[in-house]
Amino acid sequence: MLLQALPPAKSLDPSYRLRPEREQMEHFKSCFLRLFGHIDEKESEENVKDHLMDFLKDVYYKNTHVVAPKGKTDFVIHLGKEASSPAGVLFEVKRPANRTEMISRENLNTKAFHELLLYYFQERSRDRNSDLRHCVVTNVYEWFIFDAALIDRVFYRNAHLKREYTAWANGQKVSTNNDLFYNEIAKPVLAELDETIPFTYFDLRDYSKNVADADPANDKALLPLYKILSPAHLLKLPTANDSNRLDPRFYAELLHLIGLEEVKEGNRKVIRRKSAGRRDEGSLLENAIIELETANKLTHLPDVAQYGASTEEQLFNVALELCITWVNRILFLKLLESQLVRYHRGNADYAFLNQNTIADYDELYKLFFRVLAQRPADRRPSIQQKFGRVPYLNSSLFEITALEDATININGLDDGLSLPLLPGSVLRDHPSYRNRAEVPALAYLFDFLDAYDFASESGDDIREKNRALINASVLGLIFEKINGYRDGSFYTPGFITEYMCRQTIRRAVVQKFNDAYGWRCADFAALEDKDLDRAKANALIDELRICDPAVGSGHFLVSALNELIAIKGDLGLLQDADGRRLKGYRVSVYNDELLVLDEDDEPFNYLMQETTGRPTPERQRIQKTLFHEKQRLIENCLFGVDINPNSVKICRLRLWIELLKNAYYTEVSDYRELETLPNIDINIKQGNSLLSKFSLTEDLTEVFRKQRFSLRTYKDTVAAYKSTADKAAKAELLRFIDDIKGQFRETVYNRDPRRKRLAVKRGERILLDNNFDIFGNPLKDPKLVAVEKKRLDKLIAQIETEIADVENNALYRGSFEWRFEFPEVLDEAGNYVGFDAVIGNPPYGIREKGKAYLDFVKTNFFPARKVADSYFIFIVLAKQIVRNDGLFSYIVPNTFCDIEQGADFRQWFLNENEILQFYVSGWVFE
């Protein structure tokens, strides 16, 4: 038996990042000292157990989990608040003076471990408990923590030991005394065991000096110990830093500031405008509605009907879209501000999103469009003097939108309006807000955001202020809740998006390499064994095309991005611009977050040196590599479509934030300016992905033959748009792209046989108007000609109506043309090839009604003709837009398996698709 003792830092899941509050750490230290003060080595084992239980309850478990003796087991930590809940952790406790029975790092074959095995076997066999997480042996000072899965595999699944225990427990041995089990059953098995047994080991006495140290700066050394005894580790619970855990206070107060509320309708919660008697004029939504209504701005919109049937509905939807645009920008800036402060080691001079710097909406407007949207060299001197530390990022997030241009900008809001502090606000103890009924809206918003921690998600530290962590994933969850309920879309938990992306994308990568090299790798592990040319392998992965056709907040695309980086890391492909590998770094996805660890298993951080104000060359190299890897993958590999314009904005925001996490100061600016962000907005498009006027098989050869551009021109223009940082060039490229797509539409329209027939009939009609010879005599009987004219006029009008009905059909409003919107999935001849993988959580429910829609479904999504629920149609869509040998991975309701109207569909699905994996309610079928 080989024993492997690991310190706490090496035993913890790298994804378990913790930032406890200062008060929590001080309480931990106090309880630690009290425990040591109560221990008398001459006291009984019972005395030791009581003090240990008090310590664990006081620090971690008092109000959440029962910590108490159970049967003969010294004590257990239950999985719930009730003693009836299963035991999750088993403890065997010895007195410090009892060295004979205590285990050591060199020897487990002692009574303490025999007793622990007996407790475990009794829990599993007698109590049918399969929920055990860890087993612990301790004498207060020394701690040995074993993963229950290891105990289960090595001992409980040992056929001989299990058989001997069962016989002993059933009274089939000469004695039922515990000593027989210890000495004649467990001890011989341990003596002959040929296994490696890893466990966590630490001695509390080694931490005494840090606990007694009055300098808070030294408390970080206590974090591994603090974490190893926490519920997140011992009970394997979701950690508080799980990127998909919504802070309810943040969510509720953000809705209040916007002017929204969450209410329950039937079995679901929906977001809506506050009811009439509870609206606050100072909220962003109501302030915007007042300005829109006052200036009659709805009349400036070319198609106001798309925002609703009534004026009230139109005002709400226009105002909400504006508000989400503004809040997106503000939250992005808060993340940027926090990142700049962290880069510069807490230097508050880099904080700019506060009422001292931005006193009103006019100043916020200037920040958006005269700072973020302009290079420092192009800014007005007064602006640069005030905001010189705020970088230019080249994001279309800071370009005036068409809706803002037609209606109002944020500087059109009334600065004089205020709103009440939310009951239970995070600012309730803030000195500026005590005993105040109303507070200025913008100041309230800034102080509210400042009460939360938007800092980096990596690394462990102690929070000197009581501020909850808010990260990009939580923001995506919030906005999906705001946007998604109307479209039948729901936020997908991170562990699901991570799992689906890992399963789907790794298969797609293996397929890509097999196709390219003629290999027969059965799985990703086989690919890892190959000797890959890094440059060629990187290029091959960069050619993957992954699409979410109902992209929502972009959660799947973010998970896909993380997975692609992790794949490159696993294959040893991550390299800098000079071709040097990222050696010594481990890149993985944990809790749906990308984690980069150095050789000491510490999270990588991009920081400026205190002496030079610059990063070290190695930090610069790693940060640049991660930024440009993410940039290439977002630009080349990730595509999304959504019917909701707000969802499109949020998806783009999420991807920009992922790049922002690795933003770096450029050498050419002498480390004063950040690298600009690419124009990734062109990959995430608004449209109804189920509705298209043009077939995927439309021949575009004529387009490129007749026009002044080629397919290569189109692809190069899209690529140029993504990389340009010049606003004028970007606008010109976008106009050219729109012109190209317009030519596509015109050419395909002109190919419509009805148009050719119309041209013929118009020609015949013109000939009838010239029914005279050179002498002015009628060629045909004028009466017959008049009848023929009427017939042709009627027929021409009918054909024109048919064409107009197709081109202007309300059914096709917002239709999305897969045939040419993404040139990246066209081959060199212009044929539609399709995506390598389609992934997502399509909306559920009937989105459209009426005969026209049902006829469209029957014509274009025939397998789903009997089931109008949109997720069936999205399944057919995935089959249509994925390449012939591509993969698609969806979440669908359980009605897919049993709905009566779907019987034919399920048969089609089984006939037309190879199902690689099917997951139902906790079971995975390969």
Side-chain angles (χ1 to χ4, degrees):
M1 179 168 48
L2 177 64
L3 303 184
Q4 184 179 18
L6 302 172
K10 294 291 185 181
S11 302
L12 291 160
D13 185 334
S15 68
Y16 181 16
R17 290 159 281 160
L18 187 68
R19 306 187 77 213
E21 299 164 14
R22 167 55 56 191
E23 291 180 5
Q24 291 175 301
M25 186 53 62
E26 292 301 325
H27 180 63
F28 171 72
K29 292 166 67 176
S30 173
C31 292
F32 184 107
L33 293 172
R34 186 165 63 247
L35 172 65
F36 268 44
H38 286 162
I39 296 302
D40 182 344
E41 296 191 12
K42 297 178 182 178
E43 286 287 348
S44 68
E45 192 174 286
E46 290 299 319
N47 180 272
V48 172
K49 286 193 297 187
D50 289 342
H51 293 311
L52 271 176
M53 286 190 290
D54 288 343
F55 169 74
L56 292 170
K57 284 188 282 189
D58 287 348
V59 178
Y60 303 102
Y61 300 96
K62 182 180 295 182
N63 299 315
T64 56
H65 300 85
V66 173
V67 180
K70 183 185 180 190
K72 296 294 184 178
T73 308
D74 285 343
F75 70 89
V76 306
I77 302 176
H78 289 266
L79 293 177
K81 296 180 181 180
E82 306 296 331
S84 58
S85 62
V89 185
L90 305 181
F91 280 81
E92 167 57 25
V93 181
K94 294 298 177 185
R95 290 186 302 122
N98 187 354
R99 301 182 186 280
T100 304
E101 297 182 353
M102 184 62 182
I103 61 176
S104 69
R105 283 174 287 180
E106 296 77 27
N107 182 26
L108 295 186
N109 204 354
T110 67
K111 186 176 180 179
F113 196 75
H114 303 158
E115 290 176 304
L116 186 71
L117 286 180
L118 180 57
Y119 301 156
Y120 187 87
F121 271 73
Q122 289 172 338
E123 279 289 326
R124 294 287 279 114
S125 297
R126 183 186 63 198
D127 297 342
R128 307 296 182 189
N129 183 4
S130 60
D131 289 314
L132 291 163
R133 312 294 164 82
H134 281 99
C135 300
V136 180
V137 178
T138 181
N139 61 3
V140 176
Y141 299 134
E142 290 188 286
W143 289 66
F144 298 78
I145 303 177
F146 303 88
D147 193 319
L150 173 82
I151 301 294
D152 201 84
R153 178 180 63 81
V154 175
F155 298 102
Y156 189 70
R157 303 292 174 183
N158 182 307
H160 170 71
L161 183 57
K162 181 84 171 287
R163 186 168 56 251
E164 289 292 286
Y165 163 78
T166 303
W168 171 81
N170 291 336
Q172 296 170 349
K173 295 289 185 179
V174 295
S175 171
T176 57
N177 189 287
N178 288 357
D179 285 338
L180 187 145
F181 175 81
Y182 302 153
N183 297 318
E184 298 185 38
I185 298 177
K187 190 172 184 177
V189 169
L190 280 163
E192 298 177 4
L193 191 66
D194 184 20
E195 286 274 357
T196 297
I197 307 295
F199 54 88
T200 303
Y201 171 81
F202 55 89
D203 191 323
L204 288 182
R205 291 169 293 199
D206 295 338
Y207 294 89
S208 298
K209 184 177 179 180
N210 290 90
V211 171
D213 193 332
D215 186 354
N218 295 326
D219 286 348
K220 190 173 181 180
L222 296 172
L223 283 173
L225 176 63
Y226 184 87
K227 291 164 65 176
I228 207 75
L229 298 175
S230 69
H233 178 73
L234 284 185
L235 294 176
K236 298 184 180 180
L237 301 180
T239 58
N241 59 282
D242 186 336
S243 62
N244 302 295
R245 290 169 66 91
L246 177 64
D247 186 299
R249 291 181 66 192
F250 179 85
Y251 174 55
E253 198 152 9
L254 182 62
L255 290 184
H256 172 67
L257 284 155
I258 296 174
L260 301 169
E261 64 181 358
E262 185 178 75
V263 296
K264 196 167 184 179
E265 287 186 1
N267 295 323
R268 64 176 184 167
K269 293 180 179 179
V270 299
I271 310 299
R272 70 180 186 189
R273 182 183 181 184
K274 285 188 176 182
S275 55
R278 301 180 57 250
R279 293 171 187 166
D280 306 304
E281 290 186 355
S283 68
L284 287 173
L285 183 71
E286 297 303 326
N287 200 335
I289 287 174
I290 291 169
E291 295 302 319
L292 289 169
E293 202 168 21
T294 301
N296 199 24
K297 288 292 186 177
L298 292 184
T299 60
H300 296 199
L301 294 172
D303 187 13
V304 71
Q306 66 177 302
Y307 290 99
S310 67
T311 300
E312 183 177 11
E313 189 178 358
Q314 291 163 0
L315 283 168
F316 168 73
N317 286 321
V318 170
L320 180 61
E321 185 171 336
L322 290 168
C323 287
I324 288 176
T325 298
W326 300 332
V327 172
N328 274 355
R329 290 173 182 153
I330 292 168
L331 293 174
F332 179 87
L333 290 176
K334 192 63 185 178
L335 289 163
L336 171 63
E337 176 194 67
S338 296
Q339 188 150 315
L340 293 176
V341 171
R342 182 177 61 82
Y343 280 0
H344 296 275
R345 299 179 179 272
N347 188 343
D349 292 342
Y350 286 84
F352 57 87
L353 209 61
N354 53 67
Q355 55 186 314
N356 294 326
T357 307
I358 303 169
D360 52 36
Y361 291 117
D362 279 333
E363 287 298 303
L364 192 55
Y365 173 87
K366 291 176 186 176
L367 177 65
F368 288 169
F369 305 120
R370 298 184 191 174
V371 179
L372 272 301
Q374 293 188 344
R375 295 180 181 277
D378 298 331
R379 295 172 185 167
R380 295 179 182 274
S382 60
I383 291 289
Q384 181 62 9
Q385 184 177 1
K386 185 173 183 178
F387 294 105
R389 296 182 188 271
V390 181
Y392 165 72
L393 293 175
N394 179 45
S395 167
S396 60
L397 186 63
F398 298 102
E399 293 176 358
I400 295 174
T401 67
L403 185 61
E404 286 176 306
D405 194 42
T407 55
I408 59 171
N409 256 294
I410 198 162
N411 61 337
L413 299 181
D414 187 342
D415 290 303
L417 297 177
S418 58
L419 72 162
L421 199 68
L422 183 72
S425 168
V426 70
L427 299 173
R428 64 188 181 281
D429 296 325
H430 193 289
S432 300
Y433 295 93
R434 290 175 186 157
N435 304 317
R436 294 185 63 178
E438 298 274 332
V439 292
L442 191 58
Y444 183 2
L445 175 59
F446 288 153
D447 287 337
F448 160 71
L449 294 177
D450 202 46
Y452 289 89
D453 185 356
F454 287 80
S456 171
E457 299 160 10
S458 63
D460 292 336
D461 209 343
I462 298 168
R463 286 182 284 152
E464 301 302 332
K465 294 180 180 179
N466 181 14
R467 301 196 302 167
L469 177 68
I470 301 296
N471 61 31
S473 298
V474 171
L475 298 181
L477 188 158
I478 288 170
F479 282 114
E480 187 126 334
K481 286 170 73 71
I482 291 174
N483 284 325
Y485 71 93
R486 291 186 175 180
D487 300 321
S489 59
F490 298 93
Y491 191 79
T492 310
F495 73 92
I496 293 178
T497 61
E498 178 187 340
Y499 175 82
M500 290 174 63
C501 286
R502 181 179 178 85
Q503 296 297 317
T504 307
I505 296 174
R506 290 189 178 236
R507 282 189 170 104
V509 167
V510 171
Q511 185 171 294
K512 197 83 172 174
F513 278 88
N514 284 346
D515 291 345
Y517 295 108
W519 294 341
R520 294 184 179 180
C521 294
D523 52 28
F524 191 80
L527 186 60
E528 287 181 288
D529 291 336
K530 293 288 186 180
D531 185 16
L532 302 174
D533 179 287
R534 288 206 304 275
K536 292 180 180 178
N538 268 303
L540 203 58
I541 292 176
D542 293 345
E543 291 174 2
L544 275 173
R545 305 292 182 254
I546 302 165
C547 180
D548 184 344
V551 75
S553 71
H555 194 173
F556 272 100
L557 294 189
V558 171
S559 293
L561 173 64
N562 291 338
E563 184 58 36
L564 287 166
I565 296 284
I567 286 170
K568 287 193 174 188
D570 289 345
L571 294 176
L573 302 179
L574 290 175
Q575 59 185 22
D576 62 23
D578 298 323
R580 293 168 54 210
R581 284 183 56 198
L582 267 62
K583 290 184 179 179
Y585 294 89
R586 185 153 53 95
V587 181
S588 307
V589 178
Y590 292 100
N591 282 340
D592 196 33
E593 292 287 341
L594 189 69
L595 189 62
V596 180
L597 300 175
D598 63 20
E599 58 187 8
D600 296 321
D601 278 345
E602 288 293 323
F604 168 76
N605 278 312
Y606 183 69
L607 298 173
M608 304 299 109
Q609 299 177 85
E610 292 184 87
T611 53
T612 65
R614 297 180 177 185
T616 63
E618 178 65 3
R619 279 186 175 139
Q620 182 75 355
R621 183 177 82 93
I622 301 304
Q623 188 79 341
K624 284 181 68 173
T625 300
L626 292 171
F627 179 92
H628 289 294
E629 278 290 355
K630 285 184 174 182
Q631 177 182 349
R632 275 194 299 275
L633 292 170
I634 292 172
E635 289 180 348
N636 294 332
C637 305
L638 304 181
F639 302 85
V641 182
D642 203 279
I643 194 172
N644 190 321
N646 296 328
S647 294
V648 170
K649 290 184 175 73
I650 293 155
C651 178
R652 292 170 177 170
L653 174 70
R654 290 289 308 281
L655 292 173
W656 273 313
I657 288 171
E658 289 306 308
L659 274 172
L660 182 65
K661 290 177 182 178
N662 295 106
Y664 64 91
Y665 285 97
T666 62
E667 295 93 335
V668 71
S669 70
D670 197 25
Y671 299 95
R672 291 188 177 91
E673 298 177 18
L674 289 180
E675 178 62 61
T676 56
L677 300 179
N679 302 305
I680 58 176
D681 51 297
I682 200 167
N683 280 20
I684 314 299
K685 300 187 176 183
Q686 182 191 353
N688 187 335
S689 53
L690 296 181
L691 296 175
S692 301
K693 294 179 182 177
F694 309 126
S695 165
L696 292 175
T697 59
E698 284 283 358
D699 184 3
L700 299 183
T701 307
E702 189 178 351
V703 176
F704 299 114
R705 186 174 67 249
K706 289 187 174 181
Q707 305 306 327
R708 65 184 185 279
F709 52 80
S710 64
L711 176 62
R712 175 47 51 193
T713 305
Y714 182 25
K715 291 188 174 186
D716 289 346
T717 305
V718 170
Y721 174 84
K722 292 176 183 178
S723 61
T724 185
D726 183 273
K727 291 176 68 175
K730 185 160 67 172
E732 182 58 34
L733 287 167
L734 196 57
R735 279 194 293 271
F736 184 50
I737 290 168
D738 288 340
D739 183 45
I740 291 173
K741 291 191 293 187
Q743 295 291 344
F744 285 156
R745 292 186 179 89
E746 183 178 341
T747 302
V748 177
Y749 280 147
N750 290 339
R751 207 156 50 212
D752 187 332
R754 283 170 295 208
R755 286 182 173 272
K756 294 180 178 179
R757 187 180 174 210
L758 179 62
V760 171
K761 296 305 174 185
R762 283 174 173 168
E764 293 176 1
R765 179 64 176 78
I766 290 170
L767 289 175
L768 291 178
D769 282 336
N770 295 287
N771 184 37
F772 301 100
D773 60 20
I774 58 174
F775 303 107
N777 299 314
L779 296 172
K780 295 181 180 179
D781 185 343
K783 291 183 179 179
L784 294 176
V785 169
V787 172
E788 182 64 10
K789 281 183 179 181
K790 287 183 179 180
R791 188 187 71 81
L792 282 175
D793 287 342
K794 185 176 180 180
L795 183 57
I796 288 169
Q798 180 181 335
I799 298 172
E800 288 175 338
T801 300
E802 289 178 5
I803 293 172
D805 284 345
V806 172
E807 295 181 5
N808 303 316
N809 194 334
L811 175 66
Y812 290 96
R813 181 181 291 139
S815 62
F816 187 79
E817 303 309 330
W818 293 98
R819 181 64 185 89
F820 49 73
E821 281 290 351
F822 294 127
E824 294 88 347
V825 291
L826 306 181
D827 66 15
E828 292 307 313
N831 300 310
Y832 183 87
V833 176
F835 297 95
D836 296 284
V838 174
I839 192 165
N841 185 2
Y844 317 143
I846 299 174
R847 302 178 66 174
E848 305 278 355
K849 296 180 181 179
K851 185 177 183 302
Y853 177 72
L854 295 176
D855 288 344
F856 180 86
V857 169
K858 289 177 182 178
T859 302
N860 297 279
F861 300 95
F862 183 75
R865 66 195 183 281
K866 293 183 179 179
V867 277
D869 196 305
S870 61
Y871 78 85
F872 284 94
I873 304 170
F874 268 98
I875 292 173
V876 183
L877 175 70
K879 184 69 176 175
Q880 292 173 349
I881 65 175
V882 78
R883 62 187 306 138
N884 289 336
D885 56 352
L887 300 159
F888 71 91
S889 180
Y890 272 169
I891 298 172
V892 296
N894 56 10
T895 54
F896 175 80
C897 299
D898 54 22
I899 187 172
E900 185 178 347
Q901 301 97 310
D904 290 345
F905 185 91
R906 288 190 293 272
Q907 190 59 55
W908 165 84
F909 188 80
L910 292 170
N911 292 341
E912 295 292 322
N913 302 279
E914 179 187 359
I915 302 176
L916 300 177
Q917 197 171 91
F918 196 70
Y919 179 96
V920 180
S921 301
W923 297 91
V924 177
F925 302 95
E926 297 281 356

